Amino acid sequence: MTGSIVLFGPPGAGKGTQADKIVQLTGKPQVSTGDMLRLALSKETELGLEAKKYMEAGQLVPDNVIIGLIKDRMHESDARNGVLFDGFPRTIPQAEALESITEVSTVISIEVPDEDIVNRIVGRRMDPENGEIYHITFKPPPTEVAHRLVQRKDDNEETVRMRLSSYHEQTKPLGDWYMEKGILHAVEGTGSIEEVARSISKILTFL
Ligand code: AMP
């Protein structure tokens, strides 16, 4: 498949988890703006420190910052045949800017109701050694790695509620925008990780 794929959905829908599987399936590299911002923050770059206040408040980082980050990333050679965007675009201006950067051929929207989101995010843990994502109930970690798992600073209930409201106000309208373009495919995100992966791979196989 030519062009880039966008993984769309609320925070905690399972975009990062499914991204790993789509990368294996398509060979396209994953481009996660959230991961890029967290890396910048851990290195205390100017961009990371600027983004920090928005991320910790559960707000979106300004469009110009995000678009600059994506433009730079898309100049790298592995992005030539398209990438898998995870957590980008999150606003209509970001999607408009993306149109002049790469062709988006498919948008996969992972649908999860609001009432499930808080539990999914608050129970989420990450293995800092390999980036593997677990959930204390839905995807418990093996005992040998459990001691080293970390929780994202913005994965607390108060910040999650702010992130959800940013999602509804600024990101959700983008779903309709892509729907009108005829490239949005919705999948039910509440099944098991394998069930969601199967629905996504069906979509990607038939394209
Ligand atoms: P994520 O890991 O995708 O949940 O992103 C974590 C945080 O990074 C978000 O709550 C935002 O503050 C910021 N962020 C990530 N991607 C974007 C984006 N495309 N536009 C604006 N802010 C973003």
Side-chain angles (χ1 to χ4, degrees):
M1 188 204 311
T2 57
S4 291
I5 302 169
V6 169
L7 258 183
F8 183 78
K15 298 188 293 293
T17 302
Q18 296 298 332
D20 293 343
K21 297 182 184 287
I22 304 173
V23 167
Q24 286 169 21
L25 202 70
T26 62
K28 293 184 193 290
Q30 175 185 2
V31 174
S32 156
T33 39
D35 286 348
M36 292 161 86
L37 293 169
R38 279 184 290 277
L39 182 67
L41 186 53
S42 71
K43 291 184 176 164
E44 299 190 343
T45 65
E46 203 179 315
L47 177 125
L49 296 174
E50 158 77 6
K52 183 178 182 201
K53 53 182 186 280
Y54 297 100
M55 294 169 79
E56 290 184 354
Q59 292 168 1
L60 294 186
V61 173
D63 287 336
N64 60 332
V65 175
I66 298 287
I67 293 165
L69 207 59
I70 290 291
K71 276 192 179 149
D72 288 349
R73 176 65 185 85
M74 295 304 285
H75 281 129
E76 289 175 34
S77 59
D78 66 340
R80 213 177 302 128
N81 298 320
V83 303
L84 171 66
F85 290 112
D86 158 13
F88 173 85
R90 262 175 153 104
T91 64
I92 291 176
Q94 288 180 18
E96 283 170 345
L98 184 60
E99 287 195 310
S100 59
I101 300 174
T102 183
E103 187 213 337
V104 174
S105 47
T106 311
V107 179
I108 295 172
S109 170
I110 307 183
E111 313 215 317
V112 174
D114 275 10
E115 56 269 27
D116 293 354
I117 299 287
V118 177
N119 276 341
R120 288 172 75 127
I121 296 193
V122 172
R124 180 157 74 176
R125 301 287 184 276
M126 205 237 326
D127 184 343
E129 286 194 12
N130 55 20
E132 184 76 26
I133 302 161
Y134 295 98
H135 187 281
I136 50 175
T137 315
F138 308 131
K139 190 188 171 191
T143 36
E144 61 275 20
V145 304
H147 68 280
R148 64 173 187 235
L149 300 188
V150 293
Q151 183 175 29
R152 267 171 55 173
K153 202 168 180 193
D154 59 348
D155 277 356
N156 62 76
E157 185 163 348
E158 193 192 347
T159 313
V160 172
R161 295 203 185 279
M162 291 301 299
R163 287 159 67 194
L164 257 180
S165 94
S166 310
Y167 171 76
H168 282 287
E169 279 167 32
Q170 292 163 277
T171 308
K172 209 159 180 244
L174 193 54
D176 298 331
W177 194 83
Y178 278 127
M179 176 100 80
E180 279 165 27
K181 292 190 180 281
I183 55 171
L184 186 105
H185 301 263
V187 300
E188 172 78 66
T190 47
S192 69
I193 293 172
E194 288 69 30
E195 281 164 348
V196 179
R198 266 197 298 278
S199 311
I200 294 176
S201 76
K202 264 190 217 149
I203 293 168
L204 295 175
T205 315
F206 285 113
L207 286 174

Coordinates of all heavy atoms in Angstrom, one line a residue, residues 11 32-35 37-38 54-55 58-61 66 86-90 94 124 152 154 163, ligand 1:
P11 N -7.6 9.1 23.7 CA -6.5 8.6 24.4 C -6.9 7.3 25.1 O -8.0 7.1 25.5 CB -6.2 9.7 25.5 CG -7.5 10.5 25.5 CD -8.1 10.4 24.2
S32 N 5.0 8.4 16.3 CA 4.1 8.8 17.4 C 4.5 10.1 17.9 O 5.6 10.3 18.5 CB 4.2 7.7 18.5 OG 3.8 8.3 19.7
T33 N 3.7 11.2 17.8 CA 4.1 12.5 18.3 C 4.2 12.5 19.8 O 5.1 13.1 20.4 CB 3.1 13.6 17.8 OG1 1.8 13.1 17.9 CG2 3.4 14.0 16.4
G34 N 3.4 11.7 20.5 CA 3.5 11.6 22.0 C 4.8 11.0 22.4 O 5.5 11.6 23.2
D35 N 5.3 10.0 21.7 CA 6.6 9.4 22.0 C 7.7 10.4 21.7 O 8.7 10.5 22.4 CB 6.9 8.1 21.2 CG 6.1 6.9 21.7 OD1 5.5 7.0 22.8 OD2 6.0 5.9 21.0
L37 N 7.5 13.6 21.7 CA 7.5 14.7 22.7 C 8.1 14.2 24.0 O 8.9 14.9 24.7 CB 6.1 15.2 23.0 CG 5.5 16.0 21.8 CD1 4.0 16.2 22.0 CD2 6.1 17.3 21.5
R38 N 7.8 13.0 24.4 CA 8.3 12.4 25.7 C 9.8 12.3 25.6 O 10.6 12.5 26.6 CB 7.7 11.1 26.0 CG 6.3 11.3 26.7 CD 5.7 10.0 27.2 NE 5.2 9.2 26.0 CZ 4.1 9.4 25.4 NH1 3.2 10.3 25.8 NH2 3.7 8.6 24.4
Y54 N 2.0 21.7 28.5 CA 0.7 21.3 27.9 C 0.4 19.9 28.2 O -0.7 19.5 28.6 CB 0.8 21.5 26.4 CG 1.0 22.9 26.0 CD1 2.2 23.4 25.6 CD2 -0.1 23.8 25.9 CE1 2.4 24.7 25.2 CE2 0.1 25.1 25.5 CZ 1.4 25.6 25.2 OH 1.6 26.9 24.8
M55 N 1.4 19.0 28.1 CA 1.2 17.6 28.3 C 0.8 17.3 29.7 O -0.1 16.5 30.0 CB 2.5 16.8 28.0 CG 2.9 16.9 26.5 SD 4.6 16.3 26.2 CE 4.3 14.6 26.2
G58 N -2.8 18.1 30.3 CA -3.8 17.3 29.5 C -4.3 18.1 28.3 O -5.3 17.8 27.7
Q59 N -3.5 19.1 27.9 CA -3.9 20.0 26.7 C -3.0 19.6 25.5 O -1.9 19.0 25.7 CB -3.6 21.4 27.1 CG -4.5 22.0 28.1 CD -4.1 23.3 28.6 OE1 -3.1 23.9 28.1 NE2 -4.8 23.9 29.6
L60 N -3.5 20.0 24.3 CA -2.7 19.7 23.1 C -1.6 20.7 23.0 O -1.7 21.9 23.3 CB -3.6 19.9 21.9 CG -4.7 18.8 21.8 CD1 -5.4 18.9 20.4 CD2 -4.1 17.4 21.9
V61 N -0.4 20.2 22.5 CA 0.7 21.1 22.3 C 0.3 21.9 21.0 O -0.3 21.4 20.1 CB 2.0 20.2 22.0 CG1 3.1 21.0 21.6 CG2 2.3 19.4 23.3
I66 N 4.0 21.0 16.7 CA 3.8 19.6 16.2 C 4.0 19.5 14.7 O 4.7 18.5 14.2 CB 2.3 19.1 16.5 CG1 2.0 19.2 18.0 CG2 2.0 17.8 15.9 CD1 2.7 18.1 18.8
D86 N 0.6 7.8 14.7 CA -0.1 7.4 16.0 C -0.2 8.6 16.8 O 0.8 9.1 17.3 CB 0.8 6.2 16.6 CG 0.5 6.0 18.1 OD1 -0.4 6.6 18.6 OD2 1.3 5.3 18.7
G87 N -1.4 9.1 17.0 CA -1.6 10.3 17.8 C -1.4 11.6 17.1 O -1.3 12.7 17.7
F88 N -1.3 11.5 15.8 CA -1.2 12.7 14.9 C -1.9 12.4 13.6 O -1.8 11.2 13.1 CB 0.3 13.0 14.6 CG 0.5 14.0 13.5 CD1 0.5 15.4 13.9 CD2 0.6 13.7 12.2 CE1 0.6 16.4 12.9 CE2 0.7 14.7 11.2 CZ 0.7 16.0 11.6
P89 N -2.7 13.3 13.0 CA -3.0 14.6 13.4 C -4.1 14.6 14.5 O -4.8 13.6 14.6 CB -3.5 15.3 12.2 CG -4.0 14.2 11.3 CD -3.2 13.0 11.6
R90 N -4.1 15.6 15.3 CA -5.1 15.7 16.4 C -6.0 16.9 16.2 O -6.9 17.1 17.1 CB -4.4 15.8 17.7 CG -4.3 14.4 18.5 CD -3.5 14.7 19.7 NE -3.7 13.9 20.8 CZ -2.8 12.9 21.2 NH1 -1.8 12.6 20.4 NH2 -3.0 12.3 22.3
Q94 N -3.7 20.6 11.8 CA -2.6 19.6 11.6 C -2.9 18.7 10.4 O -2.0 18.4 9.6 CB -2.5 18.7 12.9 CG -1.9 19.4 14.1 CD -1.8 18.5 15.3 OE1 -1.8 17.3 15.2 NE2 -1.7 19.1 16.5
R124 N -2.7 1.7 33.0 CA -1.6 1.4 32.0 C -0.2 1.6 32.6 O 0.0 2.5 33.4 CB -1.8 2.5 30.9 CG -0.9 2.4 29.8 CD -1.4 3.0 28.5 NE -1.4 4.5 28.6 CZ -1.8 5.3 27.6 NH1 -2.2 4.7 26.5 NH2 -1.8 6.6 27.7
R152 N 3.0 6.6 33.1 CA 3.2 8.0 32.5 C 2.6 9.0 33.5 O 1.6 8.8 34.1 CB 2.4 8.1 31.2 CG 3.3 7.7 30.0 CD 2.4 7.6 28.8 NE 1.6 8.8 28.5 CZ 0.9 8.9 27.3 NH1 1.0 8.0 26.4 NH2 0.2 10.0 27.1
D154 N 1.1 11.7 32.9 CA -0.2 12.2 32.6 C -1.3 11.1 32.6 O -2.4 11.4 32.2 CB -0.2 12.9 31.2 CG 0.3 12.0 30.0 OD1 0.8 10.9 30.3 OD2 0.2 12.5 28.9
R163 N -7.6 15.4 29.1 CA -7.2 14.9 27.7 C -8.5 14.4 27.0 O -8.5 14.7 25.7 CB -6.2 13.7 27.9 CG -4.8 14.1 28.3 CD -4.0 13.0 29.0 NE -3.7 12.0 28.0 CZ -3.2 10.8 28.4 NH1 -3.0 10.5 29.7 NH2 -2.9 9.9 27.5
Ligands
AMP1 P1 -0.1 10.6 23.5 O1 1.1 9.8 23.9 O2 -0.5 10.5 22.0 O3 -1.3 10.3 24.4 O4 0.3 12.1 23.7 C1 0.6 12.7 25.0 C2 0.5 14.2 25.0 O5 1.3 14.7 24.1 C3 -0.9 14.7 24.6 O6 -1.8 14.7 25.7 C4 -0.6 16.1 24.1 O7 -0.3 17.0 25.2 C5 0.7 15.9 23.4 N1 0.5 15.5 22.0 C6 0.8 14.3 21.4 N2 0.5 14.3 20.1 C7 0.0 15.6 19.8 C8 -0.5 16.2 18.7 N3 -0.6 15.6 17.5 N4 -1.0 17.5 18.8 C9 -1.0 18.1 20.0 N5 -0.5 17.6 21.1 C10 0.0 16.3 21.1

